[in-house]
Amino acid sequence: MELSRKQLQAVQTNDRNLRIIACAGSGKTTTIAHKVEFLLNPDNGLNVLPENIIAFTYTEKAAAELKNRILKYVGSLKGLADMYVGTIHGWCLKALQENEFEFQKYSVLDEIKLRLFVDKYYERIGMKDVHKLSNPNESMKRFADTGRFIRLMEIVRESKTTRQIPVNITTALDSYKGTLKEKNYFDFAMIIDQAIEHLQKKHSNLSKKIETNLKYLIVDEYQDVNSKQEELISILQKKSNAILTVVGDDDQNIYQWRGSNNKYIIEFDKRYAPSTTIPLVKNYRSSNGITKIAETLINNNEKRLEKKMESDDSQIFVKGRDVIYNQYDDIDEENEAIAKFIQHLIGKEFKDDKGGTSRGLAYSDCCILLRTWKKAEGIVEILEKNDIPYVTAGVNHLFETAEVKAALGIFEYLNNYIEEDELAHLWHSLPFKNYDFSKLDKAIEILNGRRPKKRKNEAGEYIKLSDKDFAYNLQDIYWEFLESAEIFEDAFIDDSNEKKEKKSKEKAEIIFFNLGKFSQVISDFEEINFNSSTASFHLFNFLSFITYAAQEYYPEGWINNPYKVPNAVQIMTIHQAKGLEFPAVFVPGLNRNYLPQKKKGGLSEWHFLEGSLIADHDRYIGDIEDERRLLYVAITRAQKFLLLSRAPDANNRLYQIQSPFIEELGKSRLLAQNKNEKFDYLSELESVPLDKIRSITLNFTILKDFFDCPYRFKLISMYNFSFPLNQRMGLGRSFHNSLMELHKRSKNGETIEPAQVDDIAERQMHFPYLADSDVLKPLLHKMLKDNLNGYFKEYGNSFADIVFVEQDIELKLEDEILITGRIDLIKKEKDNGQYETTIIEFKSDEETPHTRKVNEDQLKLYALGHRELTGEMANYIQTYVIGGKDPKENIRHYLTNEDLNIIQQKINNAAKKIRSQDFVKNEDKKICKDCYQNSLCHNRVRYGIKPIRK
């Protein structure tokens, strides 16, 4: 895309702080990427290096797209991996772990795991001491108030206060933060707090690094920052005197309930004077009809910057047929109409952009946007009735799918909630093709041996359980069931004819997509609760979590698959759709109290904290302008077709009247009622789903999966099947972190004495799945110290040769393919008068043999990244196996240019196959034999291989 005059002006304005107001679909990612290219161009005389730039994005997905775009425009440039592009929280974690040794073993709890953490440590964190303002005797309750407690902790830390916060809340906050720290966890607010604290220390490593290196700070989606994030941005800018560029659109601020505050973008010119503002108002996504009605709506907001979005006519607008608003007698009729419109759209001619090739629309081109998930149930029933494939974002509605009901039945059966015939019925109800149901009987028989047991003594009394009774592995039980029942993706595919095969393959993908999501849910639960209670209580807790909490706990946008979207209608909330686009968007339920949503009643965090204590407290509550912005975002996701609808809800008196937003939209004079539209003004073509994978970011672990077996990649990276945990996990990371501290301190000029080695091991030791009383604990501690001392004794004298420790690499290949990684150690030593560079990767002896095999492909990939970073060719590659018994494992291997050419071609081929969704099963029996995922693959049966999980 050629840059417009305004985009070019935004790219070239770099002598003062800059606010870029980027309307929906206005090419802001392209603009930011070209701006970075301009800054790094040596011909401009700015003398900017990659390490002088930090670019914050709102999500990791947005970061990956921006990185790829930058690399596309910049081409080859030394040191690009030293430029940070990613989320604010990601930068804080990286900055702390690279500069403060105590944080190397910390990890960040996402929203789900944080709730599970609060539930687990309910009493320790002081949650029970937080009481209602109206009744000091009524305290917060576990599960019921978990979300409110977390929000309360966020609000108190992230907001400015008008006066002293009550002691019971500040005490709870101290206990909460102390428990997180004790368990080596950050939450999102804590990680920013720690970064700010270390930035404000005059002589901290982090502070000095920012003062020295940072020259340009770029913040995308600036309208969504909260006060704590703004504080960090302000400190970074002032401490370094960097030029600040913010990019965003106040009209798309839809996260005020999380504390985001669009006053920061609106008042930017006052806060960061002198500054310039450049508006990007040309929409390259949507038709003229879409942009006009969106503008008509948002103009009703008063608290906004003045601007006017315009379409570049990438999509032709057909008045009366492309933008439709229909009213129906009841919700069933409305949902049936949605299904009918979808069926009429499939195969209709569509061009994704100006001058593009025509294709027939597919199911995945249609998106149904909801204000709340309650509306999904009726829509899903109608889609199923009409045999229309669909997927839901996050886990919302996941537990209502037949396959996940069957998967959950495994654990309900183990806990005696259902009988054997009920479990069998749940699995029999799935659309199996050519399946031997006797395998299911065998799986249930094996499952009987996995019931939690309560142990009794000779007198028949229950006795205290031993440590081995604690490690009850739900994920392992799940995998074992699928394995012994031989429930593979192939079991759902009907290959009797081409048409049936294509349709059943799509259905099979959705089934396994959902079974993989369920595996991720188990993993989330066990990462916090593994080995912390008896088997029976662990199982009971998991089922309670699913029944009472899981649907509420999973946040907007959870699990966005970066590699494939199934060819199915996408159902999501408007919040989840931020940043996405679809040829056809449906927004049903346009009733008063639904959109705009009625202010929530019932209990909230403000029943425990007086609102007047928090400055700008109203922003957490929301108002009509927030709801209008939400509908504006929904409308601007549409490229060509926008289908709005409503019907009175017979079951809820609140949802009877048309939304006031419809009257506002009607002033555009573009809304039309059209219940019989068949879109027959468009040609019929073969339905072809859009390849939505524009940019691909891969790391070596992902690549190794694909190199070994593309189908393994599919199971892990697309379907999200998660490994079962075990108590030994943590040894490899503890050793790795200890090594990195040793290396970094030596590289910084410190002399490490042998007596300090044990102290380093103690500081970096962390076994997250090990009970305090576990007999393994002293053995693992001793193993870590012995291995670290052994390494120091053998290699301590060569620490002076270290040139890089934990060096990030990024490798740009063709077609927006980005390879990322981190090299553990690079040494440069003199031998026979010549300097020789060795790239070293550390592998843990705790890993299973098939994962720790010396893998030269990984090291060759790192050698490619090293050459990109430094412009130099490494001489050797070496794997050091921690605790390894075979001396041959640690031998250096000589490296040639041909090695790098071969691995680069191999990576290119893998990325092309990922892009084209070519996930064939590997035909090498040896690889299948060593594959952990063979439990979930038909090749295991085909080759007669025992599952490696055993």
Side-chain angles (χ1 to χ4, degrees):
M1 184 179 85
E2 289 185 11
L3 294 180
S4 68
R5 183 177 59 82
K6 286 293 185 183
Q7 286 175 318
L8 189 60
Q9 185 185 351
V11 165
Q12 295 178 347
T13 300
N14 297 298
D15 59 346
R16 72 201 78 172
N17 297 323
L18 173 64
R19 174 176 59 183
I20 302 173
I21 303 299
C23 292
S26 61
K28 68 182 176 70
T29 303
T30 298
T31 305
I32 298 170
H34 274 298
K35 187 177 189 68
V36 172
E37 176 205 17
F38 184 85
L39 290 171
L40 293 174
N41 190 334
D43 296 338
N44 291 325
L46 296 174
N47 297 317
V48 178
L49 299 174
E51 65 191 44
N52 302 142
I53 301 173
I54 291 176
F56 289 144
T57 60
Y58 196 69
T59 65
E60 291 297 346
K61 183 180 178 183
E65 185 178 350
L66 179 57
K67 275 184 186 176
N68 269 295
R69 203 75 65 86
I70 289 169
L71 290 166
K72 178 181 179 181
Y73 300 150
V74 170
S76 181
L77 184 69
K78 284 184 186 179
L80 266 177
D82 290 330
M83 175 177 60
Y84 181 81
V85 179
T87 65
I88 290 177
H89 300 105
W91 179 84
C92 291
L93 182 64
K94 185 174 188 288
L96 289 170
Q97 291 185 333
E98 285 184 350
N99 295 282
E100 311 297 333
F101 299 129
E102 64 181 291
F103 297 120
Q104 283 189 183
K105 62 183 178 183
Y106 276 61
S107 54
V108 182
L109 291 176
D110 63 22
E111 194 169 334
I112 308 129
K113 296 187 186 74
L114 181 59
R115 289 190 179 216
L116 287 162
F117 179 88
V118 168
D119 288 339
K120 181 176 179 179
Y121 296 109
Y122 160 75
E123 293 194 3
R124 287 177 61 176
I125 61 176
M127 183 174 165
K128 62 186 178 63
D129 298 321
V130 178
H131 53 74
K132 274 188 179 179
L133 296 173
S134 60
N135 184 359
N137 296 318
E138 193 169 340
S139 300
M140 279 192 164
K141 298 178 180 64
R142 178 194 277 175
F143 303 123
D145 294 314
T146 299
R148 282 182 277 276
F149 177 79
I150 292 170
R151 288 294 302 124
L152 197 60
M153 296 296 99
E154 288 173 350
I155 289 168
V156 170
R157 283 180 294 169
E158 294 178 350
S159 305
K160 296 188 184 304
T161 56
T162 57
R163 57 186 190 277
Q164 189 69 38
I165 299 293
V167 173
N168 67 321
I169 292 178
T170 57
T171 302
L173 179 59
D174 289 342
S175 300
Y176 168 70
K177 291 193 296 185
T179 307
L180 281 168
K181 189 173 182 180
E182 178 191 336
K183 301 298 179 183
N184 302 305
Y185 287 129
F186 286 125
D187 69 0
F188 287 137
M190 185 175 174
I191 197 172
I192 294 180
D193 279 338
Q194 287 294 330
I196 288 173
E197 181 182 321
H198 284 83
L199 278 169
Q200 290 178 327
K201 288 180 181 177
K202 277 190 175 182
H203 302 297
S204 72
N205 292 334
L206 180 54
S207 179
K208 287 186 284 188
K209 193 171 183 179
I210 289 300
E211 288 173 358
T212 304
N213 290 345
L214 183 59
K215 293 183 180 179
Y216 292 91
L217 177 61
I218 300 170
V219 184
D220 191 16
E221 302 287 3
Y222 186 62
Q223 77 279 351
D224 290 325
V225 300
N226 62 34
S227 59
K228 185 62 67 172
Q229 293 165 340
E230 171 61 17
E231 183 183 353
L232 175 71
I233 291 164
S234 178
I235 290 170
L236 286 170
Q237 193 271 332
K238 289 178 171 57
K239 182 167 282 290
S240 62
N241 201 30
I243 300 296
L244 173 62
T245 297
V246 301
V247 188
D249 179 5
D250 54 302
D251 290 334
Q252 295 186 69
N253 169 241
I254 59 173
Y255 293 110
Q256 87 292 334
W257 46 277
R258 288 182 179 172
S260 71
N261 197 334
N262 68 353
K263 81 172 185 179
Y264 296 127
I265 193 168
I266 291 173
E267 299 174 0
F268 177 85
D269 55 341
K270 299 182 183 69
R271 296 168 57 79
Y272 293 100
S275 69
T276 296
T277 295
I278 298 174
L280 304 180
V281 297
K282 185 76 75 176
N283 182 310
Y284 299 96
R285 172 192 300 153
S286 305
S287 71
N288 186 46
I290 302 287
T291 56
K292 276 188 177 178
I293 68 162
E295 271 295 301
T296 303
L297 175 73
I298 204 63
N299 278 334
N300 290 280
N301 273 8
E302 295 179 0
K303 294 177 287 186
R304 66 186 292 260
L305 295 166
E306 194 66 33
K307 55 190 165 301
K308 184 178 180 182
M309 179 173 58
E310 302 169 355
S311 172
D312 85 326
D313 296 321
S314 292
Q315 301 294 334
I316 298 170
F317 175 59
V318 180
K319 189 174 180 180
R321 309 191 75 171
D322 286 358
V323 176
I324 295 171
Y325 168 61
N326 288 327
Q327 299 191 63
Y328 298 95
D329 293 335
D330 57 56
I331 291 175
D332 284 345
E333 185 187 2
E334 180 185 17
N335 293 340
E336 284 282 5
I338 291 171
K340 186 169 67 173
F341 278 131
I342 290 170
Q343 289 168 330
H344 289 320
L345 281 166
I346 302 306
K348 291 300 186 292
E349 181 182 7
F350 183 77
K351 289 185 179 181
D352 294 288
D353 46 50
K354 266 184 182 178
T357 304
S358 294
R359 65 181 178 90
L361 288 172
Y363 288 115
S364 54
D365 293 314
C366 301
C367 181
I368 302 172
L369 294 180
L370 311 175
R371 177 61 183 89
T372 64
W373 273 108
K374 289 179 181 177
K375 188 144 192 69
E377 187 175 349
I379 293 171
V380 162
E381 286 178 6
I382 297 299
L383 295 182
E384 288 178 346
K385 175 185 166 186
N386 287 275
D387 201 24
I388 294 173
Y390 67 90
V391 291
T392 58
V395 300
N396 302 95
H397 199 72
L398 178 71
F399 302 108
E400 302 305 314
T401 63
E403 54 270 24
V404 173
K405 283 182 179 178
L408 183 58
I410 296 167
F411 303 102
E412 292 174 325
Y413 175 65
L414 286 173
N415 208 48
N416 298 313
Y417 286 179
I418 62 173
E419 299 296 325
E420 183 173 325
D421 60 337
E422 293 176 274
L423 175 60
H425 175 72
L426 288 170
W427 286 99
H428 277 263
S429 66
L430 301 186
F432 286 108
K433 312 293 179 187
N434 304 316
Y435 179 68
D436 180 357
F437 281 97
S438 67
K439 302 293 183 183
L440 187 61
D441 297 334
K442 176 189 171 187
I444 295 174
E445 184 182 334
I446 292 171
L447 193 61
N448 287 326
R450 302 299 296 265
R451 290 184 185 277
K453 294 180 177 63
K454 293 183 177 180
R455 299 169 63 198
K456 297 181 180 181
N457 59 20
E458 292 179 359
E461 301 167 328
Y462 287 115
I463 61 174
K464 185 178 179 181
L465 298 171
S466 65
D467 291 326
K468 68 180 181 180
D469 294 299
F470 282 71
Y472 191 65
N473 197 318
L474 301 178
Q475 190 76 254
D476 188 62
I477 291 169
Y478 182 48
W479 280 55
E480 182 183 54
F481 184 89
L482 295 178
E483 165 199 302
S484 50
E486 296 185 10
I487 295 170
F488 309 127
E489 191 174 353
D490 313 57
F492 302 99
I493 298 174
D494 182 351
D495 58 3
S496 58
N497 64 57
E498 189 176 336
K499 187 175 180 180
K500 285 183 178 179
E501 183 175 17
K502 181 182 177 183
K503 192 158 190 175
S504 63
K505 272 185 177 179
E506 291 176 348
K507 180 64 177 175
E509 280 197 335
I510 293 170
I511 290 171
F512 255 63
F513 184 74
N514 288 333
L515 290 176
K517 274 188 183 181
F518 186 68
S519 174
Q520 182 64 59
V521 171
I522 296 171
S523 180
D524 288 337
F525 177 81
E526 291 203 305
E527 280 198 35
I528 299 300
N529 292 286
F530 188 77
N531 208 33
S532 61
S533 60
T534 61
S536 56
F537 195 62
H538 186 56
L539 176 60
F540 172 77
N541 268 352
F542 175 67
L543 290 170
S544 298
F545 165 64
I546 297 296
T547 303
Y548 302 113
Q551 296 245 21
E552 180 191 343
Y553 279 20
Y554 280 85
E556 304 289 357
W558 181 77
I559 298 187
N560 288 318
N561 193 309
Y563 303 113
K564 182 180 173 79
V565 176
N567 184 21
V569 174
Q570 313 292 302
I571 305 175
M572 61 185 74
T573 66
I574 301 170
H575 287 100
Q576 288 170 320
K578 182 79 177 291
L580 303 179
E581 63 184 34
F582 298 89
V585 168
F586 296 78
V587 186
L590 281 165
N591 291 319
R592 184 186 297 275
N593 297 322
Y594 178 77
L595 187 58
Q597 187 180 46
K598 178 180 178 288
K599 284 191 176 180
K600 287 184 179 179
L603 209 58
S604 76
E605 52 269 27
W606 304 110
H607 288 89
F608 300 90
L609 175 68
E610 189 181 331
S612 62
L613 295 175
I614 303 299
D616 293 332
H617 141 265
D618 287 346
R619 78 179 187 278
Y620 289 101
I621 308 301
D623 58 20
I624 189 69
E625 293 206 354
D626 294 312
E627 292 294 300
R628 192 176 284 114
R629 286 195 295 270
L630 198 58
L631 181 55
Y632 174 81
V633 167
I635 290 170
T636 53
R637 299 313 94 197
Q639 292 172 266
K640 180 171 172 63
F641 305 102
L642 177 67
L643 298 108
L644 311 172
S645 60
R646 70 164 292 271
D649 187 340
N651 298 315
N652 194 324
R653 61 182 179 80
L654 291 174
Y655 304 147
Q656 300 294 317
I657 303 171
Q658 174 180 275
S659 167
F661 292 154
I662 294 298
E663 184 179 346
E664 295 175 6
L665 290 167
K667 291 177 182 177
S668 69
R669 304 183 64 82
L670 295 175
L671 284 188
Q673 179 174 306
N674 187 346
K675 294 185 177 180
N676 299 311
E677 180 58 62
K678 296 181 180 178
F679 310 102
D680 49 10
Y681 67 92
L682 295 166
S683 301
E684 292 279 349
L685 298 174
E686 180 187 357
S687 175
V688 178
L690 174 66
D691 173 12
K692 294 190 177 182
I693 307 172
R694 293 176 182 170
S695 57
I696 295 179
T697 300
L698 303 167
N699 60 43
F700 181 77
T701 303
I702 293 171
L703 277 173
K704 184 184 184 304
D705 289 332
F706 198 92
F707 289 165
D708 285 350
C709 176
Y711 189 68
R712 182 202 294 173
F713 167 88
K714 188 178 188 183
L715 287 168
I716 297 172
S717 296
M718 288 180 51
Y719 293 155
N720 292 289
F721 280 98
S722 302
F723 291 146
L725 304 176
N726 68 69
Q727 295 100 312
R728 288 174 59 90
M729 285 180 171
L731 181 61
R733 184 179 175 189
S734 296
F735 190 91
H736 182 275
N737 288 342
S738 299
L739 283 178
M740 295 308 108
E741 181 175 342
L742 264 177
H743 295 151
K744 286 175 184 176
R745 289 172 65 173
S746 298
K747 188 175 183 299
N748 290 341
E750 287 188 54
T751 301
I752 308 295
E753 300 297 334
Q756 295 176 271
V757 175
D758 279 357
D759 293 337
I760 290 172
E762 284 287 347
R763 179 163 42 255
Q764 298 300 344
M765 201 177 289
H766 182 45
F767 299 99
Y769 312 121
L770 198 62
D772 288 338
S773 60
D774 202 307
V775 293
L776 275 175
K777 191 170 186 177
L779 296 174
L780 293 173
H781 284 207
K782 184 177 185 302
M783 192 181 301
L784 174 61
K785 290 180 179 179
D786 287 350
N787 284 338
L788 189 63
N789 277 289
Y791 175 84
F792 181 74
K793 186 176 180 180
E794 184 175 358
Y795 291 97
N797 292 333
S798 67
F799 284 177
D801 299 326
I802 295 172
V803 288
F804 289 111
V805 182
E806 285 195 307
Q807 176 60 50
D808 288 326
I809 58 167
E810 289 178 355
L811 187 62
K812 169 69 176 69
L813 302 179
E814 58 187 48
D815 296 330
E816 292 193 54
I817 300 164
L818 177 63
I819 312 298
T820 64
R822 177 172 276 203
I823 303 173
D824 285 343
L825 194 67
I826 302 175
K827 285 185 177 180
K828 199 168 189 176
E829 51 199 325
K830 203 167 189 178
D831 186 43
N832 295 325
Q834 299 290 322
Y835 280 102
E836 294 179 337
T837 302
T838 304
I839 294 173
I840 303 170
E841 167 77 3
F842 294 96
K843 293 287 185 184
S844 171
D845 189 49
E846 75 168 320
E847 299 175 57
T848 53
H850 75 289
T851 59
R852 72 172 178 84
K853 283 179 178 175
V854 175
N855 196 307
E856 292 189 10
D857 281 349
Q858 179 174 8
L859 289 162
K860 289 172 185 174
L861 168 67
Y862 289 166
L864 273 177
H866 172 260
R867 188 174 67 180
E868 191 84 1
L869 183 75
T870 65
E872 298 175 0
M873 175 80 175
N875 303 98
Y876 294 96
I877 52 177
Q878 178 184 359
T879 299
Y880 182 91
V881 180
I882 302 165
K885 304 297 186 291
D886 184 356
K888 293 179 184 176
E889 290 180 313
N890 296 331
I891 293 175
R892 295 193 305 173
H893 295 263
Y894 187 69
L895 198 62
T896 69
N897 277 314
E898 182 62 17
D899 290 329
L900 301 194
N901 292 337
I902 290 171
I903 190 65
Q904 182 157 338
Q905 188 56 50
K906 194 171 181 179
I907 295 166
N908 275 329
N909 292 340
K912 286 176 181 176
K913 288 182 178 180
I914 291 170
R915 197 184 293 281
S916 63
Q917 313 292 293
D918 186 4
F919 303 122
V920 297
K921 292 185 177 71
N922 155 70
E923 297 295 328
D924 187 337
K925 185 175 179 179
K926 291 180 181 177
I927 290 177
C928 291
K929 188 177 177 182
D930 282 340
C931 177
Y932 194 98
Q933 282 71 29
N934 68 25
S935 292
L936 308 172
C937 177
H938 185 262
N939 270 8
R940 175 177 59 79
V941 177
R942 177 183 166 197
Y943 292 141
I945 296 169
K946 290 183 179 179
I948 199 169
R949 189 186 55 78
K950 298 295 186 185

